[in-house]
Amino acid sequence: MAYSSSRKEPDQVQILSGTMDGITTGSPIGMAVYNRDANSKAYDPIKRLFRPGHADITYFRKYGLRDHRGGGRSSARETVSRVAAGVVAQAVLDQSEVKVTAYTVELAGVRVKRIDLDEVDKNEFRSPDPEAVPEMRASLARIREAGDSAGGIVEIKVRNCPPGLGEPVFDKLDADLAKAVMSIGAVKAVEIGAGIEVAGLLGSENNDPITPDGFASNRAGGILGGISNGDEIIIRAAVKPIPSIAIEQQTVDLDFNPATITVEGRHDVSAIPRINPVCRAMVRLVLADHLLRQQTVRK
Amino acid sequence: MAYSSSRKEPDQVQILSGTMDGITTGSPIGMAVYNRDANSKAYDPIKRLFRPGHADITYFRKYGLRDHRGGGRSSARETVSRVAAGVVAQAVLDQSEVKVTAYTVELAGVRVKRIDLDEVDKNEFRSPDPEAVPEMRASLARIREAGDSAGGIVEIKVRNCPPGLGEPVFDKLDADLAKAVMSIGAVKAVEIGAGIEVAGLLGSENNDPITPDGFASNRAGGILGGISNGDEIIIRAAVKPIPSIAIEQQTVDLDFNPATITVEGRHDVSAIPRINPVCRAMVRLVLADHLLRQQTVRK
Amino acid sequence: MAYSSSRKEPDQVQILSGTMDGITTGSPIGMAVYNRDANSKAYDPIKRLFRPGHADITYFRKYGLRDHRGGGRSSARETVSRVAAGVVAQAVLDQSEVKVTAYTVELAGVRVKRIDLDEVDKNEFRSPDPEAVPEMRASLARIREAGDSAGGIVEIKVRNCPPGLGEPVFDKLDADLAKAVMSIGAVKAVEIGAGIEVAGLLGSENNDPITPDGFASNRAGGILGGISNGDEIIIRAAVKPIPSIAIEQQTVDLDFNPATITVEGRHDVSAIPRINPVCRAMVRLVLADHLLRQQTVRK
Amino acid sequence: MAYSSSRKEPDQVQILSGTMDGITTGSPIGMAVYNRDANSKAYDPIKRLFRPGHADITYFRKYGLRDHRGGGRSSARETVSRVAAGVVAQAVLDQSEVKVTAYTVELAGVRVKRIDLDEVDKNEFRSPDPEAVPEMRASLARIREAGDSAGGIVEIKVRNCPPGLGEPVFDKLDADLAKAVMSIGAVKAVEIGAGIEVAGLLGSENNDPITPDGFASNRAGGILGGISNGDEIIIRAAVKPIPSIAIEQQTVDLDFNPATITVEGRHDVSAIPRINPVCRAMVRLVLADHLLRQQTVRK
């Protein structure tokens, strides 16, 4: 039983420019991924309806038209370009041995209880807690059965990030990370370190004590004043349930008359875990940019 | 009894360029606010110590030096420039009658139970729920007494925002808002609409039904696919407790030897409500930018 | 007899994204032109030699490597992307009926004596003066015979440009045009209006008198203070001779030892007239950008 | 006898932010120069007239208003901010011992015959040829007597610039220099190296031969393919005569009715040599930016 799309998309990247004999030439790197399994016809039933929770109504309000087919910019397919670019960014990060991992800390109502990075690649949900996996599987199966969809939370951890990344005013590292991660479709909240919990903490609880060996805790999530502090960077993204569901919903048509919609088709139950590499890629892009900028600083 | 700083800073703005006879000339607008009450001497005791939870250690790691005085870029004083710029942005928003309000939804462990915008200006915490005010006051008094500090949550609401603001890929409206709000010192999480709660919702619960009169709910927080949908835009910022506290903390000195630090001085107990107009200003700046951009779209 | 390259390059553009059913969707427009006639082997003789007047030595100094083949970023083939983008820009300009034309005012030592735009498309050099054509043809034939190459001057004229385009400080219209045109390989000077001649004029000669019907002359070239004045915009680009010539030249090899080089192959005698549409495209891109920006100005 | 303005403007720079104890802190550097000798009343006679050759008509067409006083953005006073920023940029260049000089190669119809940088600071026109000075002086005196104004050419020379500066596509070094220099009010043409003369040269004449010791000539002006080649960078700016002249000119008033204008007041006869440090500053800014960028390149 599969929890993500059954579409066959080989995702083969074609490099259009910027490399020769396996190394970059310094020119812009262009890449394209051709979608071989597009089926625009499948979208005909909803051609004249706006999907609740979906971007097609805002596109329509913005431009007076919309691309109702699956391949538009509000499709998750758009993220393949982010992932491809993230691979290039990681090549920059490799030079400083910076490592970026993304894993699932909540899915379909199930929260992980521990984080073991060695477990992430061993299950279909990228859960760092193997004991949460059967429960996630059962929960998703129930939701799929009901024609519904589920949300969750992805955490991105950056190890071995040097201190000093981030500009003190206009391009703070946490600000750039927030923009990058929030720009991913379906993400509705971004947290750094203790994140939303800081609201309820006292200063004496939230401040990470400093020792000669580093910080004694990491509620800051590796960033202070918009600059990396050398500790692990921790980012969390709250991912909303996929809006396209088989349950009937109230909507309007292109003339803004009342209508109902039931979205059949090849949709995932949850954007997780497909969104995880996208989150990782966006973080890599920001870090590579700031790592290069930091090379211009004279210490 | 005062909960925010007793420093006397008149905050008078001097316009350096860009206006004549009360209207803008089209040239860049330059403004300066001179700090008349600076007291650099007050910072001498911590000249050789890093404050836990504070940016001065990351500045030091980035540049090999730091401005230990109160006026540096990691001081909250930096935010006066954001507030001044936000006033100019609001003049742009006024043309479309867009209204931006910021209020406190959590402070020092006390959550508001309702949101009445008419109440916001009537109490010292900018609480939209007058019944929460005495509890906030008591909680802050206890924390101040203990030499500690407190965090909270600011919500920003945008009314009358036209649909269509936000670019579909590189400068999504929610992404730009996240960057703008996360760039404010002390903010560790940014939520749009239902925010972090979306992680636990089903698609059928999270999707806002569409009716001919608009959306039947607003879990999207007014933004779908990075573009405003015409509904109220809702943003929340989690604000960490002020790191400078009178309680003794573990730290290191400039030579990275162990030390303890106790920060006396003229510090607020919480960044809230002083941070509220800063949040509002950052949102105004993003919206004004996107409103102008949207004027370039042909519909 | 042909004066430009005999290579067969169909220059077919493939639109990768951003359009549907013949109109733009608001998403970024991606285009690719595949080079079907590449012959990297042809460049093998110069694989270890730097061509005088060519960018390959600076690439090597910058990156420690270079793409010696014809398709690198220092090849004129790079300009096809500019031309393709310029077509999209023109679609924006069409809405305001802005017209951009590029023609040859000097080639291989021959200057035109008059400018008749109706003549430009009627000869192989895009000369606005038909009487200069035979002389250009003869001069180029002599130069080709000698294994040498020739330079010239392209003038770009913008008709029907509305007044007001250009930002008063950071993105002046003439500054942006200068950057755009100078960014074209082979261009070594950019003039606006009377251009270099203004150096020898008196104020009373150079100032264009203003009448109720417009300017009585156009030495300003349509731009005053970085803003379009409503008159025709006139830009000239000085184009250097193509560096790849069959005449033996002094150079060094990759180890910086002395060497000589003779570049055989399929090279043009002059970048003109192939560079003309590139100049036109770059001007279109700048104007489209500023035309959209100007829609944000409230008058 | 003075050839430049008799206004007393002390040009004292006030540093608003970004430095402490004489060194930069990494925060943005803000500076202000207050104009103590403004006399807005002096501009009253031309309050309702557009000056030919001046930006005030384009400002009016762009914004529907204008700052008729001397301090607007179309005043040469705006350039003080460029010069101040250029000093900061030079501090970056100093680390690589890059030197930037600007001198006059043509003024009021008089061309220099040789370039001796040691002479530049020794005469009031910043002429590198002392023998041209008396002739320049006489020519300017005649023009001033007639109530007219004069143009000229400034050359900027960069010595000791490392090879490799400049991006291969979007921010070529020559393109950025062209934008920077063309953005200076009064500049109507920008040349690199042999500049406009390349149009008339053959490839065999224009190509700079390469030897193990460097280039045997410098018609490229130190830039090939948008990247510095290690040789001296040579830029020339053609400067138009100052538009404000005492000779009566034809113009229109704010209602676009015919009028005549005679601009009395404290105007220079030529923007040269006051514009020279502005040219130098703009080149410094571009080079500092590219020098920092180049530190991100891995070779």
Side-chain angles (χ1 to χ4, degrees):
Chain A
M1 186 167 180
Y3 302 93
S4 58
S5 163
S6 57
R7 284 170 282 189
K8 278 178 198 145
E9 296 175 305
D11 286 358
Q12 203 170 343
V13 179
Q14 187 178 355
I15 298 177
L16 300 177
S17 66
T19 67
M20 183 179 67
D21 301 340
I23 56 170
T24 59
T25 62
S27 294
I29 299 171
M31 294 182 278
V33 180
Y34 290 90
N35 184 3
R36 308 290 182 198
D37 187 36
N39 179 6
S40 300
K41 279 268 172 284
Y43 293 87
D44 278 353
I46 57 167
K47 196 172 179 175
R48 287 190 46 80
L49 295 174
F50 295 117
R51 284 165 286 181
H54 198 277
D56 49 23
I57 192 165
T58 49
Y59 267 68
F60 188 79
R61 300 293 300 264
K62 185 176 185 72
Y63 296 116
L65 58 90
R66 68 182 174 118
D67 188 344
H68 67 279
R69 305 164 308 177
R73 276 289 160 177
S74 40
S75 163
R77 283 175 186 159
E78 173 257 348
T79 59
V80 72
S81 60
R82 301 168 183 249
V83 175
V87 173
V88 178
Q90 183 59 43
V92 173
L93 299 178
D94 280 347
Q95 297 172 12
S96 303
E97 297 181 28
V98 179
K99 290 180 197 326
V100 184
T101 322
Y103 43 86
T104 305
V105 294
E106 184 180 325
L107 177 57
V110 184
R111 258 205 171 262
V112 302
K113 293 200 176 60
R114 62 187 183 93
I115 290 173
D116 180 346
L117 296 188
D118 291 336
E119 293 292 334
V120 172
D121 287 334
K122 295 184 183 158
N123 63 78
E124 72 265 40
F125 306 118
R126 298 194 60 79
S127 165
D129 177 1
E131 289 170 42
V133 171
E135 212 182 330
M136 287 175 176
R137 203 176 286 139
S139 180
L140 277 178
R142 278 192 305 273
I143 292 166
R144 166 186 283 269
E145 189 69 24
D148 217 332
S149 64
I153 297 177
V154 175
E155 186 167 286
I156 306 105
K157 179 177 281 191
V158 184
R159 286 170 290 166
N160 210 29
C161 181
L165 305 198
E167 302 305 309
V169 183
F170 290 111
D171 290 316
K172 290 185 171 180
L173 186 60
D174 44 3
D176 276 3
L177 288 168
K179 176 168 182 175
V181 174
M182 190 69 95
S183 81
I184 304 169
V187 173
K188 297 299 283 186
V190 179
E191 299 181 283
I192 306 289
I196 207 162
E197 279 186 17
V198 300
L201 298 177
L202 297 171
S204 57
E205 295 167 332
N206 183 59
N207 288 344
D208 301 307
I210 313 176
T211 79
D213 301 324
F215 296 92
S217 58
N218 188 17
R219 276 173 295 267
I223 302 175
L224 284 168
I227 301 173
S228 64
N229 66 12
D231 212 333
E232 288 181 345
I233 295 176
I234 308 289
I235 307 139
R236 273 184 306 285
V239 179
K240 74 174 185 183
I242 283 178
S244 296
I245 56 176
I247 295 174
E248 186 181 283
Q249 297 175 88
Q250 185 182 355
T251 189
V252 296
D253 63 18
L254 289 186
D255 301 319
F256 286 84
N257 290 321
T260 58
I261 187 169
T262 309
V263 189
E264 311 285 359
R266 308 174 296 174
H267 302 288
D268 292 354
V269 183
S270 174
I272 294 174
R274 285 209 172 197
I275 206 173
N276 297 30
V278 183
C279 294
R280 189 179 60 200
M282 294 310 291
V283 169
R284 285 172 168 173
L285 287 164
V286 171
L287 290 174
D289 185 30
H290 279 280
L291 199 65
L292 293 176
R293 282 198 195 192
Q294 183 63 2
Q295 292 181 22
T296 68
V297 172
R298 202 178 153 82
K299 272 163 291 190
Chain B
M1 186 168 179
Y3 302 93
S4 58
S5 163
S6 58
R7 285 170 281 190
K8 279 178 198 145
E9 296 174 306
D11 286 357
Q12 202 170 344
V13 178
Q14 188 178 354
I15 297 176
L16 301 177
S17 66
T19 67
M20 184 179 67
D21 301 341
I23 55 170
T24 58
T25 63
S27 294
I29 299 171
M31 295 181 278
V33 180
Y34 291 90
N35 184 3
R36 308 290 180 196
D37 188 35
N39 180 5
S40 299
K41 279 268 171 286
Y43 293 87
D44 278 354
I46 58 166
K47 195 172 180 174
R48 287 190 46 79
L49 295 174
F50 295 116
R51 284 166 286 181
H54 198 276
D56 49 23
I57 192 166
T58 49
Y59 267 69
F60 188 79
R61 299 292 300 263
K62 185 176 185 71
Y63 296 116
L65 59 88
R66 69 182 175 118
D67 188 344
H68 68 280
R69 307 163 309 179
R73 276 289 160 177
S74 39
S75 163
R77 283 175 186 159
E78 172 258 347
T79 59
V80 72
S81 60
R82 301 169 184 249
V83 174
V87 173
V88 179
Q90 183 59 43
V92 173
L93 298 178
D94 279 347
Q95 298 173 13
S96 304
E97 297 180 30
V98 179
K99 290 179 196 329
V100 184
T101 323
Y103 43 86
T104 306
V105 293
E106 184 179 326
L107 178 57
V110 184
R111 259 205 171 262
V112 301
K113 292 198 177 62
R114 63 189 182 92
I115 289 173
D116 180 347
L117 296 187
D118 291 336
E119 294 292 334
V120 173
D121 286 334
K122 295 183 182 160
N123 64 78
E124 72 266 38
F125 305 117
R126 298 193 61 78
S127 165
D129 177 1
E131 289 171 42
V133 171
E135 211 182 330
M136 287 175 176
R137 203 177 285 137
S139 179
L140 277 177
R142 279 193 304 272
I143 292 166
R144 167 186 282 268
E145 189 69 25
D148 217 331
S149 63
I153 297 176
V154 176
E155 186 167 286
I156 306 105
K157 179 177 280 191
V158 183
R159 287 170 292 165
N160 210 30
C161 182
L165 305 197
E167 301 305 310
V169 185
F170 290 111
D171 290 316
K172 290 186 170 180
L173 186 60
D174 44 2
D176 275 3
L177 287 168
K179 176 168 181 175
V181 173
M182 190 69 95
S183 81
I184 304 169
V187 173
K188 298 298 283 186
V190 179
E191 299 182 282
I192 305 289
I196 207 162
E197 279 187 18
V198 299
L201 296 178
L202 298 171
S204 58
E205 295 167 332
N206 184 60
N207 288 345
D208 300 308
I210 313 176
T211 80
D213 301 324
F215 296 92
S217 58
N218 189 15
R219 276 174 293 269
I223 302 175
L224 284 168
I227 302 173
S228 64
N229 67 12
D231 212 332
E232 288 181 347
I233 295 176
I234 307 290
I235 307 140
R236 274 183 307 283
V239 179
K240 73 176 186 181
I242 284 178
S244 296
I245 56 177
I247 295 173
E248 187 182 283
Q249 298 176 88
Q250 184 182 355
T251 189
V252 296
D253 64 17
L254 290 185
D255 302 319
F256 286 82
N257 290 320
T260 59
I261 188 169
T262 311
V263 189
E264 310 285 359
R266 308 175 295 175
H267 302 287
D268 292 355
V269 184
S270 175
I272 295 174
R274 286 209 173 197
I275 206 173
N276 297 31
V278 183
C279 294
R280 191 180 57 200
M282 294 309 291
V283 169
R284 284 172 167 173
L285 286 164
V286 170
L287 290 174
D289 185 29
H290 280 280
L291 200 63
L292 293 176
R293 280 198 196 192
Q294 182 62 4
Q295 292 181 23
T296 68
V297 172
R298 202 179 154 81
K299 273 163 290 192
Chain C
M1 185 170 180
Y3 302 95
S4 56
S5 164
S6 57
R7 285 170 281 189
K8 278 177 198 147
E9 297 174 306
D11 285 357
Q12 201 169 347
V13 178
Q14 186 178 356
I15 297 177
L16 300 178
S17 66
T19 67
M20 184 179 66
D21 300 341
I23 57 171
T24 58
T25 62
S27 294
I29 299 171
M31 294 181 278
V33 180
Y34 291 90
N35 184 3
R36 309 290 182 197
D37 188 37
N39 180 5
S40 299
K41 280 268 171 286
Y43 292 88
D44 278 353
I46 57 168
K47 195 172 180 175
R48 288 191 45 79
L49 295 174
F50 295 116
R51 284 165 287 181
H54 199 276
D56 49 23
I57 192 165
T58 49
Y59 267 68
F60 188 79
R61 300 292 301 262
K62 184 175 186 72
Y63 296 115
L65 60 88
R66 69 181 174 118
D67 188 344
H68 67 280
R69 305 163 309 177
R73 276 289 162 177
S74 39
S75 163
R77 284 175 185 161
E78 172 257 346
T79 60
V80 72
S81 59
R82 302 169 183 249
V83 174
V87 173
V88 179
Q90 183 59 42
V92 174
L93 298 178
D94 279 346
Q95 299 173 12
S96 303
E97 297 181 28
V98 179
K99 292 180 196 325
V100 184
T101 323
Y103 42 86
T104 305
V105 295
E106 184 179 328
L107 177 58
V110 183
R111 259 204 171 263
V112 302
K113 293 199 176 61
R114 62 188 182 94
I115 290 173
D116 180 347
L117 296 188
D118 291 335
E119 294 292 335
V120 172
D121 287 333
K122 295 184 183 157
N123 63 78
E124 73 265 40
F125 305 118
R126 298 192 61 77
S127 165
D129 178 1
E131 289 172 41
V133 172
E135 211 181 330
M136 288 176 176
R137 203 177 286 138
S139 180
L140 277 178
R142 278 193 305 273
I143 292 166
R144 166 186 284 267
E145 190 70 24
D148 217 332
S149 64
I153 297 176
V154 176
E155 186 166 285
I156 306 105
K157 179 177 282 191
V158 184
R159 287 170 290 165
N160 209 30
C161 182
L165 305 197
E167 301 305 309
V169 184
F170 290 111
D171 290 315
K172 290 185 171 179
L173 186 60
D174 44 2
D176 276 3
L177 287 168
K179 176 169 181 174
V181 174
M182 191 69 94
S183 81
I184 304 168
V187 173
K188 298 298 284 186
V190 179
E191 300 181 282
I192 305 289
I196 207 163
E197 279 186 19
V198 299
L201 297 177
L202 297 172
S204 58
E205 295 166 333
N206 184 60
N207 289 345
D208 301 307
I210 313 176
T211 79
D213 301 323
F215 296 92
S217 59
N218 188 16
R219 275 174 295 266
I223 301 176
L224 283 169
I227 301 173
S228 65
N229 66 12
D231 212 332
E232 288 181 345
I233 296 176
I234 307 291
I235 308 139
R236 272 183 307 284
V239 179
K240 73 175 187 182
I242 284 177
S244 296
I245 55 176
I247 296 174
E248 186 181 283
Q249 298 176 87
Q250 185 182 355
T251 189
V252 296
D253 63 19
L254 289 185
D255 301 319
F256 286 83
N257 291 321
T260 59
I261 187 169
T262 309
V263 189
E264 309 285 359
R266 307 175 295 173
H267 301 287
D268 292 355
V269 183
S270 174
I272 294 174
R274 285 209 173 197
I275 207 173
N276 297 32
V278 183
C279 295
R280 189 180 58 199
M282 294 310 291
V283 169
R284 284 172 168 173
L285 286 164
V286 171
L287 291 174
D289 186 29
H290 279 281
L291 199 64
L292 292 177
R293 281 198 194 192
Q294 183 61 5
Q295 292 181 22
T296 69
V297 172
R298 201 179 155 81
K299 272 163 289 190
Chain D
M1 186 170 178
Y3 303 95
S4 57
S5 162
S6 58
R7 285 169 282 188
K8 278 177 198 146
E9 297 175 303
D11 285 357
Q12 202 170 344
V13 179
Q14 188 178 353
I15 297 177
L16 300 177
S17 67
T19 67
M20 184 179 67
D21 301 340
I23 56 170
T24 58
T25 63
S27 295
I29 299 171
M31 295 182 277
V33 180
Y34 291 90
N35 183 4
R36 309 290 183 197
D37 188 36
N39 181 3
S40 300
K41 279 268 171 287
Y43 293 87
D44 278 353
I46 58 167
K47 196 173 180 174
R48 288 191 43 81
L49 295 175
F50 295 116
R51 285 165 284 182
H54 199 276
D56 48 23
I57 192 165
T58 49
Y59 268 69
F60 188 80
R61 299 291 302 262
K62 185 176 185 73
Y63 297 115
L65 58 87
R66 69 182 175 119
D67 188 344
H68 68 280
R69 308 162 309 178
R73 277 288 161 176
S74 40
S75 163
R77 283 175 185 158
E78 172 257 348
T79 59
V80 72
S81 60
R82 300 168 184 250
V83 174
V87 172
V88 178
Q90 183 58 44
V92 174
L93 298 178
D94 279 347
Q95 298 172 14
S96 303
E97 296 180 31
V98 178
K99 291 180 196 327
V100 184
T101 324
Y103 43 86
T104 305
V105 294
E106 184 178 327
L107 177 57
V110 183
R111 260 206 169 261
V112 302
K113 293 199 175 61
R114 62 189 182 94
I115 290 172
D116 180 346
L117 296 188
D118 291 336
E119 293 292 335
V120 172
D121 286 333
K122 296 183 184 160
N123 64 78
E124 72 267 37
F125 306 117
R126 299 194 59 78
S127 165
D129 177 1
E131 289 172 43
V133 170
E135 211 182 330
M136 288 174 176
R137 203 177 286 138
S139 179
L140 277 177
R142 277 193 304 272
I143 292 165
R144 166 186 283 268
E145 189 70 24
D148 217 331
S149 64
I153 297 176
V154 176
E155 186 167 285
I156 307 105
K157 178 178 282 191
V158 183
R159 287 170 291 165
N160 209 31
C161 182
L165 305 197
E167 301 305 310
V169 184
F170 290 111
D171 291 315
K172 289 184 171 180
L173 186 60
D174 44 2
D176 275 3
L177 288 168
K179 175 168 182 176
V181 173
M182 190 70 93
S183 81
I184 305 168
V187 173
K188 297 298 283 187
V190 179
E191 299 180 283
I192 306 289
I196 208 164
E197 279 187 18
V198 299
L201 296 178
L202 297 171
S204 58
E205 294 167 332
N206 184 60
N207 289 344
D208 300 307
I210 313 175
T211 79
D213 301 323
F215 296 91
S217 58
N218 188 16
R219 275 174 294 266
I223 302 176
L224 283 169
I227 302 173
S228 65
N229 66 12
D231 211 332
E232 289 181 345
I233 296 175
I234 307 290
I235 307 139
R236 273 183 306 284
V239 179
K240 75 176 185 180
I242 284 176
S244 297
I245 55 177
I247 294 173
E248 187 182 282
Q249 298 175 86
Q250 185 183 356
T251 189
V252 296
D253 64 18
L254 290 185
D255 302 318
F256 287 82
N257 291 320
T260 58
I261 188 169
T262 311
V263 190
E264 309 287 356
R266 308 176 295 174
H267 301 287
D268 293 354
V269 183
S270 174
I272 295 173
R274 285 208 173 198
I275 206 172
N276 298 31
V278 183
C279 294
R280 189 179 58 199
M282 293 310 291
V283 169
R284 285 171 168 174
L285 286 164
V286 171
L287 290 173
D289 185 29
H290 280 281
L291 199 63
L292 293 176
R293 280 197 195 193
Q294 182 62 4
Q295 291 181 24
T296 68
V297 173
R298 200 179 157 82
K299 270 163 289 191

